[in-house]
Amino acid sequence: KSDALEHHVNQTLTHAKTILDMFNAYSVHVRSLCTRGFESDAISLVLSVVRVLGEDFEDLNSLSSSTLNRLAKDELLSTRELLEATGKDQLLQFEIMTDVNKLWVMKLMSYVIMEMFRSRPLLMAVLSCKMIKLSIHYGVCEATCIALIMYSVSMMDDPDNVDHCHYWGKVAQALFSTFDNPDSTMIHRIEQYFHSLVGVWIEPHQAVCNTFQSNYKTCVRSGDNETSTEILVWYCLMN
């Protein structure tokens, strides 16, 4: 099946008439690579595409572990300072991102960072921070909320950051509620990662489980099998 999917993606890219056609094919390919555990390949693909779209990102896969560790710490520190200087109220009033290339960059990166919190946490931290900085400079989008959640997850390495992480996780949820006609599957993913990786350290266990149960039922009714399965796994792990 994976070979057939890759063949279909390659055919689509070969015959694509618009950038949107290419983006949709790349999106499917990136998500397929992540699902099959090929995060490094997915990251390389995403970085190559975002360079074409105008973002000058270095090849993060080629960095040594010590270099990547320093880069992640620097990015998290500078992003924290930027968020605290911006504040919740200003962030919620930001203009919506309209640059099509930037929107595609954000969406592609959101696919990979949601799959990296276990296998590539340092890369997740770096990409999340870059997404937040893009949002502050060019406007916010739904993927900004994913970036804020994953930034919060990255900062949870230090127990002293729990309140800070919980705060910005809640901001991500508040920001998502401001969008018109948002992606319904994304809000469940945002809540899933927030409650299972950040909120669980502060909020009552039963409240977290009740949210999972509600979101699971909604996803099943809407036919979103991928998200419903992920929620079910997290629910089982927490009980």
Side-chain angles (χ1 to χ4, degrees), residues 1-3 5-6 9 25-39 42 111 226:
K1 290 184 178 179
S2 60
D3 291 340
L5 176 60
E6 189 164 347
V9 168
Y26 279 129
S27 298
V28 171
H29 195 25
V30 167
R31 297 185 72 178
S32 172
L33 288 170
C34 289
T35 301
R36 289 182 286 143
F38 300 128
E39 288 93 348
Y111 291 148
E226 181 181 359

Side-chain angles (χ1 to χ4, degrees), residues 38-102:
F38 300 128
E39 288 93 348
S40 293
D41 292 338
I43 293 164
S44 295
L45 177 59
V46 167
L47 293 179
S48 67
V49 174
V50 300
R51 289 190 198 101
V52 173
L53 294 173
E55 296 302 319
D56 186 21
F57 287 2
E58 59 190 308
D59 184 2
L60 299 175
N61 273 332
S62 67
L63 299 180
S64 66
S65 57
S66 58
T67 301
L68 184 58
N69 187 52
R70 287 195 300 271
L71 177 60
K73 287 182 177 179
D74 291 343
E75 287 286 350
L76 288 170
L77 177 60
S78 61
T79 301
R80 177 171 188 159
E81 292 173 347
L82 187 59
L83 284 173
E84 291 179 345
T86 302
K88 172 185 175 180
D89 293 339
Q90 185 177 347
L91 184 67
L92 294 180
Q93 294 174 8
F94 272 4
E95 295 292 328
I96 302 298
M97 185 179 289
T98 56
D99 186 308
V100 175
N101 284 3
K102 296 291 188 296

Side-chain angles (χ1 to χ4, degrees), residues 193-204:
Y193 286 113
F194 171 74
H195 287 296
S196 57
L197 299 173
V198 180
V200 69
W201 296 100
I202 290 182
E203 299 180 3

